[in-house]
Amino acid sequence: MARRKIGVIGGGFVGSTTAQRLAEKELGDVILVDILEGMPQGKALDLVQAGPICGYDSNVQGANDYSSLEGAELVVITAGMPRKPGMDRSDLLRVNGEIQQKVVSGIMEVAPSAMLIIVSNPLDVMCFVAHQVSGLPKNKVVGMAGVLDTARYSAFLAMELGCSVRDIQAMVLGGHGDSMVPLTSTASVSGIPVSQLISEQRLEELVDRTRHGGAEIVNLLKTGSAYYAPSAAAVSMAESILLDQKRVMPCCSLLTGQYGIEDTWVGVPVILGSDGVEKILEVELSASEREALQSSAASVLAGQAEVAQMISIA
Ligand code: APR
């Protein structure tokens, strides 16, 4: 029996690290696609040559077109232009919208039932583009944002408490960007509400740092944006889908009335399994969290309308 095929589109920092993590976990054979000639082939060969040292035998193949993705079960899309310092997410809307449109049409020609994990920014709006262009059922398109934002929030909480990140339970909902909604009401460390251990004011500072977690790294790197944590987040979602782990993760999904939000791609807790987004969980939020989620959704909805006009999709 052939191994399952996993596509990664975009062989830049996030894409190549994603391919590496997928290969190391032996989740399947990986096809890395980029428009740059030779680059995905070179990185793929390098990853194959790391196999004997690291002890994995996943095959990794590079390509400049989609033909080798035929039969792929899952495709992670990282293609796009990364955010540069001082650049607003909405500046990226047109260019990344067009890239997303091209990429998704290319994938659908050869792998029409592949599950899509979207990583390209601005994330929530790119999920909308991918869903519209692919015509896939909504459970088969999912965006990676909440897992990354939650990881950042958890890392900051653990740093503050001087404890292991393993014992932090936290969740960040909403859009990926300034309007994200890190939940303070349910954040806990080994079951103890963090509000009992961290003052309200300090917690607000950590929430603020989480909200600007991506920008903090962009400012330090000067060129490019984060990729270790984003690729780890995307691969944890891929793993939950491919191994039908049914993990509860905050993911960008199409809401159809949940949380009082319609037709908008927003980060919410979902069960992620072999059927993709198998269930959206509606959890109780404080009044201010609910309000923040709805305002985050409103800004995504505006972005959806804007991109639909820019690149002429319905
Ligand atoms: N098809 C395939 N690959 C493409 C296409 C396309 N149509 N257009 C661009 N690419 C490739 C680029 O050639 C580049 O190699 O996408 C890659 C993007 O890689 P980087 O510039 O290194 O960006 P990266 O840091 O990986 O971020 C990728 O993920 O987190 C998000 O905001 C980030 O949207 C960005 C994406």
Side-chain angles (χ1 to χ4, degrees), residues 174-198:
H176 188 45
D178 300 348
S179 67
M180 73 179 71
V181 186
L183 301 185
T184 48
S185 58
T186 54
S188 67
V189 48
S190 289
I192 308 160
V194 291
S195 54
Q196 288 185 18
L197 305 170
I198 303 174

Side-chain angles (χ1 to χ4, degrees), residues 156 160 198-207 209:
F156 296 146
E160 179 69 16
I198 303 174
S199 73
E200 200 176 318
Q201 192 201 338
R202 184 67 188 134
L203 199 51
E204 208 33 64
E205 286 167 12
L206 299 179
V207 162
R209 189 172 179 195

Side-chain angles (χ1 to χ4, degrees), residues 223-278:
T223 56
S225 47
Y227 52 98
Y228 291 118
S231 58
V235 171
S236 72
M237 289 167 63
E239 193 171 19
S240 191
I241 293 170
L242 294 167
L243 305 184
D244 195 25
Q245 289 173 334
K246 301 196 192 298
R247 291 193 59 196
V248 175
M249 296 172 141
C251 297
C252 184
S253 300
L254 178 61
L255 297 193
T256 51
Q258 300 89 342
Y259 297 94
I261 298 165
E262 292 271 2
D263 299 326
T264 313
W265 288 82
V266 184
V268 287
V270 307
I271 295 179
L272 212 52
S274 58
D275 219 15
V277 176
E278 297 185 350

Side-chain angles (χ1 to χ4, degrees), residues 42-238:
K43 290 192 178 180
L45 198 54
D46 197 6
L47 282 169
V48 167
Q49 292 167 1
I53 304 165
C54 299
Y56 61 79
D57 62 5
S58 306
N59 187 31
V60 188
Q61 193 188 320
N64 297 118
D65 64 39
Y66 297 94
S67 55
S68 40
L69 280 181
E70 195 176 342
E73 264 180 56
L74 176 93
V75 181
V76 182
I77 305 181
T78 77
M81 202 176 119
R83 188 162 52 130
K84 306 222 168 83
M87 207 173 175
D88 194 271
R89 273 178 195 278
S90 67
D91 293 340
L92 293 177
L93 208 57
R94 179 187 296 272
V95 60
N96 280 354
E98 282 169 358
I99 293 174
Q100 195 72 211
Q101 191 176 26
K102 265 189 229 146
V103 165
V104 173
S105 326
I107 298 167
M108 288 298 116
E109 275 175 29
V110 294
S113 57
M115 191 94 64
L116 303 179
I117 297 181
I118 314 302
V119 179
S120 318
N121 277 316
L123 191 271
D124 314 275
V125 182
M126 290 306 113
C127 291
F128 164 77
V129 174
H131 181 239
Q132 292 292 117
V133 173
S134 66
L136 284 169
K138 62 180 190 305
N139 58 303
K140 297 194 87 172
V141 178
V142 62
M144 187 293 291
V147 176
L148 169 62
D149 296 328
T150 296
R152 287 179 172 150
Y153 186 34
S154 301
F156 296 146
L157 288 169
M159 278 153 71
E160 179 69 16
L161 292 166
C163 74
S164 166
V165 288
R166 288 198 188 96
D167 294 325
I168 304 284
Q169 292 284 321
M171 178 85 73
V172 177
L173 307 184
H176 188 45
D178 300 348
S179 67
M180 73 179 71
V181 186
L183 301 185
T184 48
S185 58
T186 54
S188 67
V189 48
S190 289
I192 308 160
V194 291
S195 54
Q196 288 185 18
L197 305 170
I198 303 174
S199 73
E200 200 176 318
Q201 192 201 338
R202 184 67 188 134
L203 199 51
E204 208 33 64
E205 286 167 12
L206 299 179
V207 162
D208 198 56
R209 189 172 179 195
T210 303
R211 210 167 263 138
H212 301 105
E216 182 178 356
I217 292 179
V218 167
N219 291 332
L220 288 166
L221 293 179
K222 310 272 190 313
T223 56
S225 47
Y227 52 98
Y228 291 118
S231 58
V235 171
S236 72
M237 289 167 63

Side-chain angles (χ1 to χ4, degrees), residues 290-312:
R290 201 176 169 85
E291 204 176 297
L293 189 65
Q294 287 177 345
S295 108
S296 179
S299 68
V300 175
L301 191 62
Q304 290 181 187
E306 203 181 335
V307 84
Q309 235 184 6
M310 281 172 175
I311 62 171
S312 312

